[in-house]
Amino acid sequence: MNKPFSPSCERNRDPILAVLRQRFADRRQVLEIGSGTGQHAVHFAAAMPWLTWQCSDVAENLPGIRMWLDEAGLVNTPAPIMLDVESGPWPARSFDAAFSANTLHIMGWPAVEACFDGLDAALADSAVLVVYGPFNDDGRYSSDSNREFDRWLKARDPRSGIRDAAAADALARNIGLRLVDDVAMPANNRCLTWAR
């Protein structure tokens, strides 16, 4: 098996890191939802060695993530865990931070709801959640490219699609998180940060 590679991860990792350096400066245990290739985990864990960065993803993505983690050999990236947000199993321990990139628009809406429900139990009382990706405002696309991307997503899987920021915020508020930051990112993406 070849090590998986995502060009978009290489492009967006430094703008995301700028946000995480600020938001995770006083954090210790991060749960990453949907680690994908594992590229983000390696980059962020190397840049923020005070964090233990716990990767998670569906079973089929774990071998690729392991390749990235094994090659990097970082002491703060434990073995990735299997996590399907709808069926679990969610980790039993409590995290003071969580991160996810480019996942909410891939999942169906019931999975997005299940993700926030799962985070409710997985996050500590004072936790911070950072989510990166494209978002709409009141059903409006932020760009023509996002409109085209949404069309492509729905053609591939009708359950997927760019989520409305207010809808994500409502799910976050239901689990005691309040929106503390909304940072515009390159390529018409955003970093939303919530805190308990």
Side-chain angles (χ1 to χ4, degrees):
M1 172 181 171
N2 291 327
K3 192 172 72 168
F5 180 80
S6 166
S8 65
C9 278
E10 292 298 301
R11 290 193 300 269
N12 64 33
R13 66 184 193 173
D14 288 322
I16 295 171
L17 178 59
V19 172
L20 296 184
R21 273 190 200 279
Q22 178 187 4
R23 294 298 169 186
F24 290 175
D26 59 349
R27 307 287 100 185
R28 290 296 171 262
Q29 300 278 335
V30 181
L31 173 63
E32 182 180 13
I33 308 289
S35 298
T37 62
Q39 286 165 257
H40 275 158
V42 166
H43 188 67
F44 300 151
M48 297 179 285
W50 63 90
L51 296 173
T52 297
W53 194 278
Q54 179 63 68
C55 293
S56 74
D57 212 315
V58 293
E60 59 262 31
N61 290 339
L62 296 185
I65 296 167
R66 279 192 206 98
M67 292 175 89
W68 278 91
L69 298 185
D70 290 349
E71 183 180 277
L74 299 169
V75 297
N76 59 334
T77 54
I81 57 174
M82 198 286 283
L83 174 59
D84 180 312
V85 294
E86 289 188 277
S87 60
W90 283 82
R93 74 178 190 273
S94 193
F95 294 85
D96 63 0
F99 170 74
S100 197
N102 290 322
T103 54
L104 301 190
H105 59 273
I106 303 297
M107 302 177 194
W109 185 248
V112 177
E113 293 175 312
C115 183
F116 279 88
D117 285 344
L119 283 167
D120 188 18
L123 292 177
D125 290 341
S126 60
V128 172
L129 169 65
V130 178
V131 176
Y132 168 87
F135 289 93
N136 288 338
D137 283 309
D138 300 320
R140 293 189 309 272
Y141 296 101
S142 62
S143 66
D144 290 338
S145 63
N146 275 4
R147 183 182 289 106
E148 287 303 313
F149 181 50
D150 192 53
R151 194 173 292 145
W152 178 84
L153 285 167
K154 288 182 166 73
R156 193 184 61 110
D157 180 352
R159 297 168 302 172
S160 65
I162 295 178
R163 306 302 172 196
D164 207 88
D169 186 46
L171 295 179
R173 280 186 281 115
N174 284 343
I175 63 167
L177 292 163
R178 61 187 172 79
L179 188 67
V180 294
D181 209 359
D182 181 349
V183 180
M185 304 293 276
N188 302 302
N189 288 303
R190 288 152 74 176
C191 254
L192 304 184
T193 301
W194 291 273
R196 272 185 164 163

